[in-house]
Amino acid sequence: MSETRQITLPITGMTCANCVATIERSLKKVNGVQSAQVNLSSERAIVEFNPELTGLGEMITRVQRAGYDVATGEAVFIIKNLSDDNDARLLERSLLSLEGVLEAQVSIATERARVRYVPTTVGQLDLRRNIEKVGFEVVDSEGELEDAEQKARQLEINSQRNYLIVGLIFTIPLFLFSMARDLGLLPHEIGHAPWTNWLMLILATPVQFYVGWQYYVGSYKALRNKTANMDVLIAMGSSTAYFYSVFVTLGIIPGHVYFETSAVIITLIKLGKYLEARAKGRTSEAIKKLMSLQAKSALVIRDNLEIEIPVDEVQIGDLVIVRPGEKIPVDGVVVQGHSSVDESMLTGESLPVEKIPGSSVIGATINKLGLIRFEATKVGKDTALAQIVRLVEEAQGSKAPIQKLADRVSAIFVPAVIVIALGTFVVWYFFIPLPVGSEVSLFTRAMMNMVAVLVIACPCAMGLATPTAVMVGTGKGAELGILFKSGEALEQAGEVDTIVLDKTGTITKGQPSVTDVFLSDKDSNVTILQDNSEDRRTKLIYFAASIEKGSEHPLGEAIVAEAGNFEMNLQQPEGFKAISGMGVEAVVDGHTVLVGNTRLMNERGILLNGLYPAVEELQEESKTPVFVAIDGTLEGVIAIADPVKEGSKEAIHELRYMGLKVVMMTGDSLKTAQAIASTIEVEEVLAEVLPGVKSSRIKDLQTNQRIVAMVGDGINDAPALAQANVGIAIGTGTDVAMATAPVVLISGDLRGVVRTINLSRSTLRTIKQNLFWASFYNVVLIPAAAIGLLNPMLAAGAMAFSSVFVVSNSLRLKNKPV
C-alpha cells in the first residue's frame, strides 16, 4: 500500500468561508485525496493524498476549475556545461521530476532554464541542487530569490490597491455630485438637467464593471459550483441599484437614480478587502521573523582552509567556526572553545546558555563571548529553526474545533441571506403602504431595503474569526519558545483545569547527583567490603557504578558520575538485566549485584540491615535512596538528590493562582515525593508510578471530569502525553519535530507552561470575541436592514468594517503580555 503524502498549496482568490468550503469539496473529489483543510487567513490548503492515484497537477486543475488559483513562483537559471539538446531535455526531465515543479523549459541557445513551481512545496535552493546533481553548473539566476509565495501575495495586495484607487477616483466625485444634487446645493438648471443622470452613469460604469468585475467573476464561479459566496451578495446588491438606475436614465421606468449607491458599495467593500489583506499579511509576521533569523553565511574549515560559504551549502560533518557576536549558522555539537549563547530568539529565555565541548548548539542563536568550533549535525530542512517554522506553518493552516460551528453556519449563510432579501422586497412592496407624501415609489423603497440586506450580510468576518486568531496565537507562541502543532492544541490548552507534572527533568533538573552514602551496620558478606568505612563507601560506589554503566536512567548516571570523581576503573557487568520501575541486576567481579528501590529489595526478600532510619531521613530531605545489595545482602544505600529547577516553584505558584489543580507524578516513594511536593507547594502527589502506568493515572484523572494537561519530556512520557487532553513536551529545541506532544516547549523552564496556558486562554478569548462580533453584527444588522433602518451605502461600510475589525482584534494578541 502506498504511503500517504502531504502537500501545502498557496491558494489565491478566496474571499469568505464559502470559498473555503468550495475548495475543500473540490479537492476531496479528486481520486486519491484523503483529506483537505483550507485556511482562509493563511490562504493555504493542506492536502493528504495517495501519490499513486493523483498528483499536484490534478489538484491545481481542480482548484482552478472551482474558480480559484494556486500561487506560483518563477525562476530563471543560467546554466553552464550544456553541450547539446539532449542535455537540455535531460535537465528538463530532472526538474519536472521534482514535486512542486509545474513547468521546466531549458534552452540550449540561451543556456537558460526557466522553471515555474509551487513555492510551498519546492524552493529555488532545491532547484539549484537538482541542476547541480544532474551534472550542470548554475552560474547565476535572474529574478527574485526571495519568498515566491510572499511575492504572489504582495501582487494580489497591489492589485486590490490599484482597484481601490480607480474606484475612489470615480466614486468620490460621483458621490459628492449626487449628494449636492439631492440636497439642492446645485443651481436649479444643473440639478434638474437630464444630462446629470448620464454623467453619473459614466462615472459609475467603470466602478461597476472594472473595479467590481471580480465580484461578477466570483459569483459566476460560485454558482457554477452550486454554491453561493460573498461575491454573489455584492454582485446582486450593487447590480440591482446600478441597473435600476440605468433603466431610469433610459426613461424605461420613472424614478430616482442610485448610481452613487452601487459605486459606493463596491468601493467601500474594496477598501475593506484591501485593509483586510494588509492586516492578514501581518498575522504571518512571526513566520517571517523566524525565517529572517537564519544566518546568511558560515565560516567552515575545508582542506585545512577557512572559507566563507552560503549557509545553504554547509554539509553535515563540516567544522564550523563562530566568532563572538556572530550567529550560529546550523545545528551542531561544540568540539572546541567555551562561550555563552543567546538562545532567546528560539526558546524565549533571556539568560545566555553556557557552551563547552560536547554541548549542542542551535542554528540562528547568537554566540556572545568566546570563539567556538562545532561540528555541523543538522543542516537545511533538518535544523531546529526549519522544524520550528514547519510546525508553526502546519499549526497556522489547521482548524481549531471551535471553527467547525462557523464553517457549518457559513455553508448556509449566503442562501439564507438571499431568501431574507427577497422576503424583504416582497413585504415592503406588497404589504407595507407608502406614507403620505412619499417621494419614492413602492418598488424603489422595496428595492433599496433589499439591497441593504444583501450588502450588510458578511460571511467573511465569521470565516476569519478563528483562523486569524490561531495564526497570531501560534506565531506569538513560536516567538516565546512555545510550539503549538495544531489549532486544536492551541484551543484545548486554554480549557484545562488540571496540570500533571512529571518530576524528573520537568520540575527538577533531571541531572541528579550523589549526596550521601550509608553503609549497612552489619558485617559485610563481601570480602572486599570488609575494610574501613571510607574504603567500604568507595567500593560500594564501584559496584553500583559498574552495574549502572550501561544504564540510561538519571539515577544510574548520577552514580556513574560519582565514580568518575574518584577516577575508578569500572568493570563491564555480565548478564545485565533492567527490571522495569524497580532497578537493575548484573554480575560484577563474580558477585551478583542488585541496584534499585524498596520494591526491588522487598520482592527479592532482602532485609534493610538497620538502614531504615537512614532511609526515612533521606526521604524527609527529598532525597532518593538507591539500595545496593551484593550476593543477596543489603550493603548500603546511596542517597541521590535531583535539585529543583530555577523557576519551577514560581511556575507552580502561578498555575495555582490561575485556578489550576497541579499534580506531581513520579516513580519515587510516597515519602520522598511528598517531601519534594512540600518544598514546591504541590498539594496532590501521584507517587511510585511505574512508566507503564502513567497513562492510566492520567485516565483516572479524566474519569473525574477533569481536563488534563500532562507535562513531560516528550519521549519517556509519550503514552501519558498522548492520553492527556493536552500533552506538553519539555524539550531542548533540537528535537522539536520528534516530540509526541501537540505542544512543545523549546526550553526546559516550567514557566513556559504558564505562558502556554495564558496564551491559549487569550487566543480562545479572542476567537470567542470575533465569533460574537461576527454573529452579533449579522443578527442585529440584517434585521435592521430588513426593516428599513439602514441605507445601502452605510450597510456596505459596516460590512467592510466587520472583517477589518475581526482581523485587527486578532492582531491585538501580538501585544498582550503572557
Side-chain angles (χ1 to χ4, degrees):
M1 187 174 177
S2 178
E3 185 180 347
T4 299
R5 282 160 69 178
Q6 179 179 291
I7 61 168
T8 301
L9 301 177
I11 309 295
T12 60
M14 290 193 294
T15 56
C16 67
N18 291 70
C19 302
V20 170
T22 300
I23 296 171
E24 284 182 351
R25 279 198 307 270
S26 298
L27 285 169
K28 287 174 183 176
K29 288 178 183 176
V30 178
N31 182 34
V33 170
Q34 296 171 356
S35 69
Q37 281 196 28
V38 179
N39 187 294
L40 178 60
S41 182
S42 64
E43 298 180 287
R44 288 185 171 192
I46 298 175
V47 187
E48 289 188 358
F49 67 102
N50 183 337
E52 291 185 359
L53 298 177
T54 189
L56 181 62
E58 193 172 348
M59 285 182 266
I60 291 176
T61 301
R62 182 68 69 166
V63 171
Q64 291 170 337
R65 279 177 55 191
Y68 307 90
D69 208 345
V70 173
T72 59
E74 188 173 283
V76 179
F77 300 99
I78 301 173
I79 312 295
K80 277 183 72 176
N81 303 334
L82 285 173
S83 57
D84 56 26
D85 195 57
N86 288 333
D87 283 353
R89 301 293 77 79
L90 171 66
L91 184 53
E92 278 184 5
R93 286 194 301 271
S94 179
L95 287 167
L96 288 169
S97 69
L98 291 175
E99 185 173 62
V101 173
L102 303 176
E103 294 177 10
Q105 296 177 346
V106 181
S107 170
I108 188 68
T110 61
E111 294 187 316
R112 277 171 168 75
R114 185 179 298 275
V115 188
R116 191 166 70 89
Y117 61 98
V118 178
T120 51
T121 306
V122 67
Q124 290 197 18
L125 177 61
D126 302 306
L127 300 176
R128 279 175 171 268
R129 285 177 174 167
N130 182 268
I131 293 169
E132 291 165 358
K133 184 179 178 182
V134 180
F136 304 103
E137 183 181 344
V138 180
V139 177
D140 199 357
S141 63
E142 297 178 357
E144 291 291 333
L145 288 174
E146 298 175 359
D147 187 345
E149 183 187 1
Q150 177 59 27
K151 184 181 177 183
R153 302 288 186 211
Q154 190 58 49
L155 287 173
E156 198 172 351
I157 292 174
N158 293 343
S159 175
Q160 293 279 5
R161 183 190 61 201
N162 294 337
Y163 280 126
L164 173 62
I165 290 171
V166 173
L168 291 171
I169 288 171
F170 286 96
T171 300
I172 291 174
L174 170 60
F175 178 76
L176 293 175
F177 182 82
S178 173
M179 290 298 100
R181 190 183 71 164
D182 292 347
L183 295 173
L185 301 178
L186 297 175
H188 185 271
E189 59 274 13
I190 294 177
H192 292 79
W195 59 264
T196 55
N197 285 353
W198 288 98
L199 174 63
M200 295 170 75
L201 170 63
I202 292 170
L203 291 172
T205 300
V207 179
Q208 190 70 33
F209 296 110
Y210 175 70
V211 180
W213 184 247
Q214 168 194 340
Y215 302 120
Y216 287 104
V217 173
S219 299
Y220 166 73
K221 290 175 178 177
L223 296 172
R224 187 182 66 185
N225 287 294
K226 298 178 182 177
T227 184
N229 59 9
M230 184 198 78
D231 293 340
V232 174
L233 299 179
I234 298 170
M236 286 180 66
S238 62
S239 296
T240 301
Y242 176 84
F243 287 109
Y244 170 81
S245 302
V246 169
F247 291 144
V248 171
T249 301
L250 294 174
I252 298 174
I253 57 174
H256 185 275
V257 295
Y258 293 95
F259 285 119
E260 81 285 356
T261 299
S262 66
V264 168
I265 286 172
I266 289 174
T267 303
L268 279 177
I269 291 171
K270 189 62 72 174
L271 172 63
K273 281 292 159 193
Y274 172 64
L275 294 175
E276 177 192 318
R278 287 189 59 186
K280 275 163 63 180
R282 290 179 57 203
T283 61
S284 60
E285 280 180 359
I287 285 286
K288 296 171 193 169
K289 193 184 220 177
L290 283 171
M291 293 177 75
S292 69
L293 291 176
Q294 187 181 33
K296 300 294 184 283
S297 62
L299 185 64
V300 302
I301 298 175
R302 288 183 181 172
D303 299 325
N304 295 321
L305 294 174
E306 294 183 7
I307 59 170
E308 189 165 344
I309 60 174
V311 71
D312 295 326
E313 295 180 12
V314 177
Q315 299 175 2
I316 293 175
D318 274 342
L319 194 61
V320 186
I321 300 172
V322 186
R323 300 185 182 95
E326 293 181 343
K327 282 185 179 179
I328 293 171
V330 295
D331 297 0
V333 176
V334 177
V335 295
Q336 185 180 353
H338 181 281
S339 183
S340 292
V341 174
D342 180 2
E343 298 180 347
S344 61
M345 61 287 298
L346 295 182
T347 65
E349 302 300 329
S350 57
L351 291 177
V353 180
E354 185 180 17
K355 301 295 179 183
I356 59 175
S359 300
S360 297
V361 289
I362 309 172
T365 56
I366 300 174
N367 183 27
K368 300 291 285 184
L369 296 176
L371 182 144
I372 57 173
R373 288 178 171 86
F374 72 91
E375 181 183 341
T377 56
K378 291 181 181 178
V379 299
K381 294 181 179 178
D382 295 326
T383 63
L385 178 64
Q387 291 174 4
I388 290 168
V389 169
R390 179 177 60 79
L391 286 173
V392 176
E393 285 179 336
E394 287 177 1
Q396 291 184 339
S398 66
K399 290 187 179 182
I402 199 171
Q403 191 175 343
K404 293 175 183 176
L405 174 63
D407 288 347
R408 285 198 295 269
V409 172
S410 297
I412 59 170
F413 183 81
V414 175
V417 169
I418 292 173
V419 170
I420 293 171
L422 293 175
T424 299
F425 179 87
V426 169
V427 170
W428 281 100
Y429 187 75
F430 291 105
F431 298 102
I432 302 178
L434 281 171
V436 178
S438 174
E439 296 182 0
V440 297
S441 65
L442 273 170
F443 180 85
T444 301
R445 184 186 63 176
M447 178 198 71
M448 296 306 288
N449 289 336
M450 179 186 74
V451 170
V453 171
L454 289 171
V455 173
I456 194 64
C458 184
C460 299
M462 202 170 294
L464 289 167
T466 301
T468 52
V470 168
M471 282 192 75
V472 177
T474 51
K476 185 177 179 66
E479 293 175 2
L480 296 171
I482 306 164
L483 300 183
F484 294 96
K485 291 189 177 180
S486 66
E488 182 177 6
L490 179 62
E491 178 183 328
Q492 287 187 335
E495 297 174 339
V496 300
D497 53 39
T498 303
I499 302 283
V500 178
L501 304 173
D502 180 56
K503 190 205 78 172
T504 305
T506 302
I507 295 175
T508 62
K509 290 183 177 180
Q511 295 175 333
S513 57
V514 173
T515 58
D516 306 279
V517 176
F518 294 89
L519 298 172
S520 167
D521 59 3
K522 295 188 177 180
D523 291 336
S524 172
N525 292 330
V526 184
T527 305
I528 62 171
L529 289 182
Q530 293 176 347
D531 301 318
N532 62 58
S533 294
E534 194 59 43
D535 287 340
R536 285 187 67 189
R537 284 189 177 89
T538 305
K539 294 293 175 60
L540 190 75
I541 293 291
Y542 163 79
F543 274 96
S546 291
I547 191 176
E548 291 282 9
K549 200 166 86 167
S551 171
E552 295 181 357
H553 194 282
L555 299 181
E557 290 177 351
I559 295 172
V560 174
E562 180 68 11
N565 293 334
F566 294 96
E567 299 181 356
M568 292 182 183
N569 184 21
L570 301 180
Q571 298 300 307
Q572 188 67 34
E574 299 174 9
F576 179 87
K577 179 183 176 184
I579 305 164
S580 180
M582 289 190 280
V584 291
E585 179 180 13
V587 175
V588 178
D589 292 342
H591 299 281
T592 300
V593 183
L594 277 175
V595 178
N597 56 22
T598 312
R599 286 198 304 277
L600 180 59
M601 299 299 116
N602 291 337
E603 188 178 278
R604 298 298 178 91
I606 297 173
L607 301 176
L608 293 187
N609 277 357
L611 288 173
Y612 186 75
V615 171
E616 280 194 320
E617 182 185 336
L618 293 175
Q619 289 175 337
E620 287 173 3
E621 295 174 357
S622 306
K623 296 175 181 177
T624 302
V626 176
F627 298 88
V628 182
I630 302 176
D631 293 333
T633 301
L634 185 67
E635 296 292 346
V637 176
I638 300 172
I640 298 175
D642 184 6
V644 173
K645 284 182 186 176
E646 183 183 350
S648 289
K649 186 174 181 179
E650 178 188 338
I652 290 166
H653 176 76
E654 284 292 320
L655 290 169
R656 292 181 61 190
Y657 180 76
M658 292 160 62
L660 296 166
K661 184 82 171 177
V662 181
V663 180
M664 184 181 80
M665 183 158 60
T666 177
D668 291 343
S669 66
L670 182 59
K671 280 192 174 181
T672 301
Q674 287 176 334
I676 296 171
S678 65
T679 62
I680 57 176
E681 299 179 4
V682 172
E683 293 179 344
E684 191 169 344
V685 175
L686 299 176
E688 300 180 13
V689 181
L690 297 176
V693 298
K694 283 186 177 182
S695 60
S696 63
R697 290 299 181 94
I698 297 291
K699 198 171 185 177
D700 292 341
L701 292 171
Q702 290 170 324
T703 56
N704 294 327
Q705 305 302 313
R706 292 189 186 181
I707 302 173
V708 181
M710 168 70 190
V711 186
D713 65 11
I715 300 169
N716 297 332
D717 303 314
L721 290 166
Q723 175 63 43
N725 299 87
V726 180
I728 303 176
I730 297 278
T732 60
T734 54
D735 294 311
V736 291
M738 295 169 59
T740 57
V743 182
V744 178
L745 303 182
I746 301 176
S747 78
D749 194 326
L750 204 56
R751 285 170 289 194
V753 178
V754 177
R755 290 193 284 267
T756 300
I757 303 298
N758 278 331
L759 179 58
S760 177
R761 287 180 174 180
S762 296
T763 304
L764 195 57
R765 190 160 49 245
T766 300
I767 290 172
K768 289 176 178 177
Q769 289 169 354
N770 288 348
L771 287 172
F772 171 79
W773 164 257
S775 303
F776 177 81
Y777 164 88
N778 284 303
V779 166
V780 171
L781 294 187
I782 290 177
I787 62 176
L789 297 180
L790 272 182
N791 178 283
M793 289 185 287
L794 293 177
M799 183 237 189
F801 172 74
S802 66
S803 295
V804 177
F805 172 86
V806 164
V807 178
S808 301
N809 189 47
S810 295
L811 287 171
R812 287 172 59 240
L813 268 172
K814 289 164 69 75
N815 301 318
K816 281 189 177 179
V818 294

